[in-house]
Amino acid sequence: MSYIPFDPATAEATKAKMARRVGVSRWEDLEVPPGSEQRKSMLAAFEAALGSGLAAWFVRRDEGPFLEGREP
């Protein structure tokens, strides 16, 4: 995941810590390649979670398509 900007002085230690917290042995094991079936299924699950109730936690008014009502 080369798109995450790490401080070069602490990059390796940070990657190792993040990998440990997630429960994988290497930082590289966290990567989900773009266009892969794994990524597609993760995005589909995420979108389903958003549509199935997460947005409802933030709705303040019911009179429109936006969280705040009719106005974005």
Side-chain angles (χ1 to χ4, degrees):
M1 291 186 285
S2 60
Y3 48 86
I4 299 177
F6 288 106
D7 177 355
T10 61
E12 292 308 312
T14 302
K15 290 177 182 180
K17 185 180 229 178
M18 290 174 75
R20 268 195 316 276
R21 287 182 176 176
V22 174
V24 296
S25 58
R26 301 176 319 132
W27 168 255
E28 291 77 15
D29 294 340
L30 295 173
E31 185 171 5
V32 181
S36 68
E37 287 302 315
Q38 181 185 10
R39 188 178 195 99
K40 289 176 187 175
S41 67
M42 286 175 71
L43 287 174
F46 178 68
E47 289 171 355
L50 288 176
S52 69
L54 183 61
W57 292 358
F58 300 98
V59 172
R60 294 188 182 170
R61 298 187 193 124
D62 292 332
E63 73 259 1
F66 303 103
L67 296 177
E68 294 286 333
R70 295 177 198 260
E71 299 294 320

